[in-house]
């Protein structure tokens, strides 16, 4: 165990400074197209929406992040393609859009056919789960810039305009249904890697909570793709949706100004218990960095909550309140 309480900022990722950078980057993006293709949302939600007649087209872009460094260490790259697609598709689902096509961007230090085949394997599987086509992409050889590789992509989705879900319908007393994650997914790996690097373990060591796997393989479990959310939208009156990624439950501020009381949160996966113990990370930092066992949230009237939980393998984890974000007794936002 690390004697120091490790934080995301200690590992090199300061969420508050990242938000300031995003504001600086986007403040000059003032031009807006009119007519067909005009933006329907501002910058800052899970996905951008543009006018396309009866429909809105949805766009999201994201990458795998420093999880690729663990894939390099384990010499196993056949799951990171799933992560790349999942991080994009889940953001589209969080505004109610159905994914329809994807393009990827692979930046390489050098070429290797076995590596490329494994990346393709993951992308193919992620596309199949998401029921969409990969229609193109770009491969760049950048030995002076990239050491190893970087994988990112952009996803296109569609949603009828009257079915867009941005959170404006969320109201006091709404139920919150949490859907479990499969693990760390693809966020917080800068901190996760620092914890392992400063511990007495290596990625190849047996995972203390499961002797049948290694720490590295546990950290490479791919991001869950939440396609079942589309079925819930069809059968329930959904008021809000959230994909829980980097910065953990702080992501919920994108959905509504109202508060979230998680009075019965999902039990965190064993990998989070391992990281917290080895990194001596406090509870607040864990919930402000990782998904902590809950990768997606559905907000809807209480009468639909049990049905939504059954359809997704989730459970009712709390309700909407006036302000703040709480997980059990832990106050994440006042």
């Amino acid at each position: 165990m690390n004697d120091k309480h490790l934080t995301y900022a200690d590992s090199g990722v300061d969420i508050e400074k990242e938000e300031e950078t995003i504001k600086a980057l986007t403040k000059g993006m003032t031009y807006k197209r009119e007519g067909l293709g005009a933006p329907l949302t501002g910058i800052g939600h899970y996905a951008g929406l543009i006018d396309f007649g009866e429909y809105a087209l949805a766009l999201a872009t994201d990458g795998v992040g420093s999880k690729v460094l663990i894939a390099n260490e384990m010499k196993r790259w056949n799951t990171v393609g799933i992560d790349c697609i999942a991080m994009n598709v889940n953001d589209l689902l969080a505004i109610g859009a159905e994914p329809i096509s994807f393009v990827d961007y692979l930046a390489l230090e050098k070429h290797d056919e076995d590596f490329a085949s494994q990346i393709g394997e993951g992308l193919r599987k992620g596309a199949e789960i998401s029921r969409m086509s990969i229609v193109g992409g770009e491969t760049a050889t950048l030995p002076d810039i990239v050491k190893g590789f970087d994988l990112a992509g952009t996803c296109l989705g569609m949603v009828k305009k009257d079915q867009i879900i941005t959170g404006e319908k969320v109201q006091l007393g709404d139920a919150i249904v949490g859907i479990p994650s499969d693990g760390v997914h693809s966020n917080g790996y800068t901190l996760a890697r620092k914890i392992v690097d400063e511990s007495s373990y290596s990625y190849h060591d047996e995972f203390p909570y499961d002797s049948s796997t290694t720490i590295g393989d546990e950290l490479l479990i791919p991001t869950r793709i939440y396609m079942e959310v589309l079925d819930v939208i069809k059968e329930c009156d959904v008021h809000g949706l959230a994909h829980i990624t980097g910065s953990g439950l702080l992501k919920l501020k994108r959905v509504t100004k109202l508060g979230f009381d998680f009075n019965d949160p999902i039990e965190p996966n064993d990998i989070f218990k391992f990281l917290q113990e080895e990194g001596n990370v406090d509870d607040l930092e864990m919930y402000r960095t990782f998904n902590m066992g809950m990768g997606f949230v559905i907000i809807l009237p209480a009468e639909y909550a049990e049905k939504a939980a059954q359809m997704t393998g989730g459970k009712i984890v709390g309700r909407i309140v006036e302000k703040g974000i709480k997980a059990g007794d832990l106050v994440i936002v006042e």
Side-chain angles (χ1 to χ4, degrees), residues 152-321:
T154 299
C155 191
L156 175 68
M158 64 179 185
V159 57
K160 285 190 175 181
K161 285 181 181 175
D162 60 358
Q163 296 175 7
I164 295 169
I165 300 171
T166 56
E168 71 277 358
K169 291 173 63 178
V170 174
Q171 54 190 318
L172 288 174
D174 275 353
I176 307 169
V177 173
I179 313 177
S181 68
D182 286 340
V184 184
H185 282 181
S186 197
N187 294 99
Y189 276 83
T190 302
L191 176 55
R193 289 187 300 104
K194 186 176 181 65
I195 290 170
V196 176
D197 290 345
E198 293 190 3
S199 75
S200 60
Y201 292 95
S202 81
Y203 294 110
H204 301 276
D205 286 338
E206 181 182 290
F207 181 48
Y209 287 83
D210 182 356
S211 60
S212 69
T213 190
T214 66
I215 294 168
D217 286 330
E218 190 72 17
L219 287 166
L220 284 180
I221 292 173
T223 306
R224 178 173 171 177
I225 299 174
Y226 294 95
M227 291 297 288
E228 59 269 43
V229 168
L230 294 176
D231 296 324
V232 176
I233 292 170
K234 290 176 184 176
E235 298 192 26
C236 303
D237 181 21
V238 175
H239 288 178
L241 299 161
H243 178 205
I244 309 302
T245 58
S247 70
L249 295 183
L250 295 178
K251 277 286 189 294
L252 296 169
K253 293 190 291 183
R254 288 182 174 185
V255 179
T256 178
K257 293 181 180 179
L258 293 171
F260 295 77
D261 181 9
F262 293 94
N263 50 45
D264 188 18
I266 291 174
E267 178 74 14
N269 313 58
D270 287 339
I271 187 62
F272 296 115
K273 300 172 187 176
F274 168 78
L275 292 172
Q276 182 168 23
E277 181 178 339
E278 289 303 313
N280 197 21
V281 185
D282 65 37
D283 289 341
L284 181 60
E285 188 69 17
M286 292 295 292
Y287 275 94
R288 289 169 62 98
T289 303
F290 300 111
N291 68 63
M292 295 300 285
M294 184 177 67
F296 209 93
V297 162
I298 304 174
I299 306 161
L300 69 181
E303 60 263 32
Y304 293 100
E306 191 57 50
K307 182 176 183 178
Q310 291 176 359
M311 292 177 69
T312 59
K315 75 169 190 174
I316 301 169
V317 293
R319 63 189 180 92
I320 297 296
V321 293

Side-chain angles (χ1 to χ4, degrees), residues 105-109 115 138-142 146 148-151:
Y105 174 75
L106 177 62
L108 298 162
E109 180 181 7
F115 159 81
E138 176 70 15
T139 301
T141 310
L142 303 168
V146 175
F149 77 101
D150 189 27
L151 179 64

Side-chain angles (χ1 to χ4, degrees), residues 4-82:
K4 179 184 176 183
H5 288 281
L6 288 180
T7 67
Y8 208 10
D10 289 335
S11 66
V13 180
D14 188 314
I15 294 170
E16 293 180 0
K17 288 185 178 179
E18 190 173 271
E19 289 180 353
E20 292 173 5
T21 298
I22 292 170
K23 289 178 182 178
L25 176 68
T26 58
K27 68 179 181 181
M29 298 179 183
T30 56
Y31 175 78
K32 298 185 186 303
R33 178 185 173 95
E34 296 180 357
L36 196 66
L40 298 174
T41 54
I43 295 171
H45 213 286
Y46 282 100
L49 294 172
I50 59 173
D51 185 3
F52 207 70
E54 179 185 357
Y55 286 86
L57 295 182
L59 286 165
T61 190
D62 207 343
V64 180
S66 65
K67 188 173 185 175
V68 301
L69 297 175
I70 299 176
N72 287 340
E73 175 64 29
M74 301 300 291
K75 305 297 181 189
R76 185 163 71 80
W77 302 280
N78 63 343
T79 60
V80 291
I82 301 174

